[in-house]
Amino acid sequence: MRGYDSTSKVFYKGASDDFIVFIEDPASLKNWKNDRSIPLAEVVNGFKIFVTHRHGSQGVLDGASNASLDNEFGTHNVDECLTKILEMGTYQTYVQSEKPGDRNQVNGPACR
């Protein structure tokens, strides 16, 4: 991801944990909610569900385990869990700031 790019996600605050799914854009999510014949592959940005360990939408993202999906949704079928998160979650967008890094490596490391 480049700096200052907008990223869209759906945040679901569950009973046992918080879940995040990244989506392509808000228009595709809205179209999918109105027309379920649209495949999930056109809505989500990868079939990966992330968990934040009850740290809200800004926590450290880890891949959700089958056990955490079973505890929250009663199944670990990714398609069913994605559908529930997209239906009941809240849409959020944020702008990723520029990635820091050494611009002139000839001067040595940045931290001394």
Side-chain angles (χ1 to χ4, degrees):
M1 172 187 320
R2 299 211 180 259
Y4 302 112
D5 279 349
S6 177
T7 303
S8 300
K9 62 184 175 182
V10 175
F11 172 72
Y12 176 80
K13 185 165 185 67
S16 60
D17 221 329
D18 299 335
F19 298 89
I20 290 179
V21 173
F22 290 96
I23 60 171
E24 290 294 334
D25 60 35
S28 63
L29 177 63
K30 184 178 179 183
N31 292 339
W32 176 82
K33 285 185 175 183
N34 294 329
D35 180 12
R36 293 300 171 94
S37 65
I38 297 172
L40 278 175
E42 293 181 14
V43 179
V44 297
N45 188 353
F47 281 79
K48 183 76 173 168
I49 300 172
F50 295 96
V51 65
T52 64
H53 306 291
R54 304 293 290 172
H55 288 249
S57 65
Q58 303 298 319
V60 175
L61 301 179
D62 290 328
S65 67
N66 286 345
S68 65
L69 294 176
D70 280 332
N71 289 339
E72 186 65 40
F73 303 108
T75 181
H76 60 266
N77 181 311
V78 175
D79 289 345
E80 292 178 27
C81 295
L82 281 172
T83 301
K84 290 178 183 179
I85 292 170
L86 294 176
E87 287 174 346
M88 298 182 289
T90 56
Y91 167 77
Q92 297 178 349
T93 185
Y94 66 96
V95 176
Q96 183 72 27
S97 63
E98 184 177 358
K99 294 181 179 179
D102 289 340
R103 301 249 164 105
N104 188 352
Q105 296 179 353
V106 174
N107 292 337
C111 33
R112 297 175 195 237

